[in-house]
């Protein structure tokens, strides 16, 4: 992936945008293999300017935001990036994303049809999951809709596949 398809047996660094596009293409391959039967979770804890793939990444310098989920991976990642941009202590991560042209992956993923950068952010204040001896679980989530600015709570039910196959 780091070589954007140029090498398969050794480490070669590609141009930054080519690398970012290869990440979106790798995502597309997995999504196609799974026939879209996926749910996505992002854990926004211990956020650092460095990739956790590095042997000694920089220590986090912003607060934990929490866990986000979606059926659309592009919308999910865009929401995470936007939350970093508005975080009072997110300047270093925002600058790193900009300096690496990081949002290009999201632009390209949207071009590929993986998902949309548009989203509606809903905050779950409590969750209960009920499993019924099958391949599905029913999740009841109390939510507050941030997009609509609703102060009240609404109960949402979702059928969640426990196995993607």
């Amino acid at each position: 992936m780091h070589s954007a398809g140029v090498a398969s047996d050794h480490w070669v660094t590609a141009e930054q945008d080519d690398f970012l596009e290869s990440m979106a293409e790798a995502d597309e391959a997995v999504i196609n293999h799974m026939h879209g039967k996926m749910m996505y979770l992002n854990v926004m804890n211990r956020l650092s300017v460095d990739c956790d793939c590095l042997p000694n990444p920089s220590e986090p310098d912003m607060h934990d935001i929490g866990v986000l989920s979606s059926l659309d991976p592009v919308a999910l990642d865009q929401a995470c990036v936007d939350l970093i941009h508005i975080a009072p202590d997110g300047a270093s991560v925002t600058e790193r994303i900009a300096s690496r042209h990081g949002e290009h992956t999201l632009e390209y993923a949207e071009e590929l049809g993986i998902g949309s950068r548009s989203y509606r952010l809903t905050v779950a204040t409590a969750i209960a999951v009920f499993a019924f001896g099958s391949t599905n679980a029913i999740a009841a989530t109390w939510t507050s809709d941030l997009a609509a600015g609703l102060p009240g709570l609404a109960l949402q039910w979702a059928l969640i596949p426990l196995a993607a196959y």
Side-chain angles (χ1 to χ4, degrees), residues 107-162:
E107 296 163 354
Y108 189 65
E110 187 174 49
E111 276 181 44
L112 292 173
I114 294 172
S116 170
R117 294 176 71 190
S118 299
Y119 61 89
R120 181 181 197 141
L121 190 61
T122 302
V123 176
T125 54
I127 188 165
V129 176
F130 307 93
F132 296 103
S134 71
T135 58
N136 292 316
I138 294 180
T141 309
W142 289 99
T143 62
S144 172
D145 193 328
L146 293 181
L150 300 175
L153 298 177
L155 181 64
Q156 293 183 344
W157 293 89
L159 187 61
I160 302 172
L162 294 179

Side-chain angles (χ1 to χ4, degrees), residues 9-144:
D9 62 344
H10 60 283
W11 186 276
V12 176
T13 303
E15 294 294 321
Q16 181 66 6
D17 280 0
D18 292 341
F19 165 63
L20 297 173
E21 290 173 7
S22 71
M23 285 198 297
E25 290 165 353
D27 292 343
E28 181 185 37
V30 172
I31 292 166
N32 288 341
H33 175 75
M34 299 297 292
H35 307 289
K37 296 179 183 178
M38 299 175 71
M39 185 178 96
Y40 306 90
L41 294 172
N42 284 2
V43 180
M44 297 187 70
N45 294 341
R46 298 199 40 82
L47 298 167
S48 168
V49 296
D50 287 332
C51 176
D52 58 5
C53 62
L54 294 175
N56 296 307
S58 296
E59 281 298 311
D61 65 347
M62 68 178 290
H63 70 284
D64 292 346
I65 293 176
V67 179
L68 283 77
S69 67
S70 178
L71 297 176
D72 181 332
V74 180
L76 177 61
D77 284 350
Q78 184 65 62
C80 291
V81 168
D82 291 345
L83 288 170
I84 290 167
H85 291 333
I86 65 170
D89 56 353
S92 64
V93 179
T94 292
E95 190 280 321
R96 180 61 63 98
I97 291 168
S99 72
R100 303 295 194 272
H101 199 207
E103 290 189 54
H104 181 62
T105 302
L106 301 174
E107 296 163 354
Y108 189 65
E110 187 174 49
E111 276 181 44
L112 292 173
I114 294 172
S116 170
R117 294 176 71 190
S118 299
Y119 61 89
R120 181 181 197 141
L121 190 61
T122 302
V123 176
T125 54
I127 188 165
V129 176
F130 307 93
F132 296 103
S134 71
T135 58
N136 292 316
I138 294 180
T141 309
W142 289 99
T143 62
S144 172

